Amino acid sequence: MHGYGPTPQQQTTSRPSPATLTTVRVILVTVTVLSCGLLGWVAMLRLAIVTRRPRDWVLLVVVMVLNAALFAFIMSTPDDPDDMSDASVLLMLLWIVALLAGVITYYLYVEIRHYSSLRSLGSSPPYTAAAHPAPLPYQQHPAQQHQQHQQLQNQQPQPNPYTVQTPPLTPTPAPQRLDQVRAELDELSDYLRKENREGEGR
């Protein structure tokens, strides 16, 4: 894992030029055809080295075994072609054609596909933080700042001039009539007490 900072670029594997690849393919196909398939293992060896896949190494071993068996079969046939049976001739021809077609087709298909995938991967450069500088801090134009300030003022609630503001309620003093009635009741009570005391004194 990499922390913050520029990511190190991955080293891209060097690929041969298209002209070199074409030349190598033509040479290997020509050698395979001229040897009647007996040197088909050379093309398979190159393919296994290029792709480095276990399947190609297994196919290399299979082709080498078939080449060895074909060579042993040819050495076991009589020196005079007229002494060979038709079945032996047909078997040898089918063996050579199948070996040639299988090796050449598989070799060309897999190698071309392999280098095409490498070319497509190498077409887009790896992303690095150094290639993309950090953006500069955003600076507003004075006209934009003034426009935003006006928008903020427009969004603030404005007082309604048609609304009547009611003054806060203040406790009103008790009416003077209540005080007057209370005073009269006190005088009446005093008068009744006075009359009561005089009656008891008689």
Side-chain angles (χ1 to χ4, degrees):
M1 293 179 63
H2 300 282
Y4 294 102
T7 306
Q9 295 184 355
Q10 297 179 352
Q11 294 182 355
T12 57
T13 57
S14 58
R15 296 186 302 273
S17 63
T20 304
L21 290 176
T22 303
T23 303
V24 171
R25 290 166 188 165
V26 169
I27 292 175
L28 291 177
V29 170
T30 303
V31 168
T32 303
V33 172
L34 292 180
S35 64
C36 296
L38 292 176
L39 296 179
W41 60 271
V42 178
M44 297 301 298
L45 176 61
R46 168 177 166 75
L47 185 62
I49 294 174
V50 168
T51 61
R52 299 179 182 179
R53 292 188 302 183
R55 182 180 65 183
D56 294 334
W57 289 103
V58 172
L59 290 178
L60 169 63
V61 174
V62 172
V63 170
M64 292 179 69
V65 171
L66 291 176
N67 286 338
L70 178 61
F71 181 76
F73 178 77
I74 293 175
M75 295 301 294
S76 64
T77 57
D79 294 336
D80 189 2
D82 295 335
D83 296 338
M84 294 179 60
S85 62
D86 295 338
S88 298
V89 173
L90 182 62
L91 177 61
M92 185 175 64
L93 289 177
L94 291 177
W95 197 332
I96 293 174
V97 171
L99 194 59
L100 285 174
V103 169
I104 293 174
T105 302
Y106 183 80
Y107 163 70
L108 292 177
Y109 173 75
V110 175
E111 188 180 79
I112 292 173
R113 185 178 179 183
H114 174 72
Y115 281 108
S116 298
S117 63
L118 289 181
R119 190 178 300 110
S120 62
L121 289 176
S123 60
S124 58
Y127 173 80
T128 57
H132 300 278
L136 296 176
Y138 178 72
Q139 296 180 355
Q140 280 189 340
H141 196 269
Q144 293 179 351
Q145 293 180 355
H146 180 68
Q147 184 178 3
Q148 288 184 357
H149 182 66
Q150 287 183 348
Q151 290 177 356
L152 291 176
Q153 286 183 348
N154 293 333
Q155 291 177 1
Q156 293 179 356
Q158 301 294 333
N160 190 357
Y162 298 102
T163 56
V164 179
Q165 295 183 358
T166 58
L169 297 177
T170 56
T172 58
Q176 298 180 358
R177 179 65 179 168
L178 183 59
D179 295 339
Q180 186 178 358
V181 172
R182 189 177 297 165
E184 291 178 356
L185 288 176
D186 290 341
E187 291 179 359
L188 181 61
S189 177
D190 292 341
Y191 178 76
L192 291 176
R193 288 195 195 97
K194 185 178 180 181
E195 290 293 329
N196 192 11
R197 289 175 184 173
E198 291 179 357
E200 290 179 356
R202 294 178 183 174

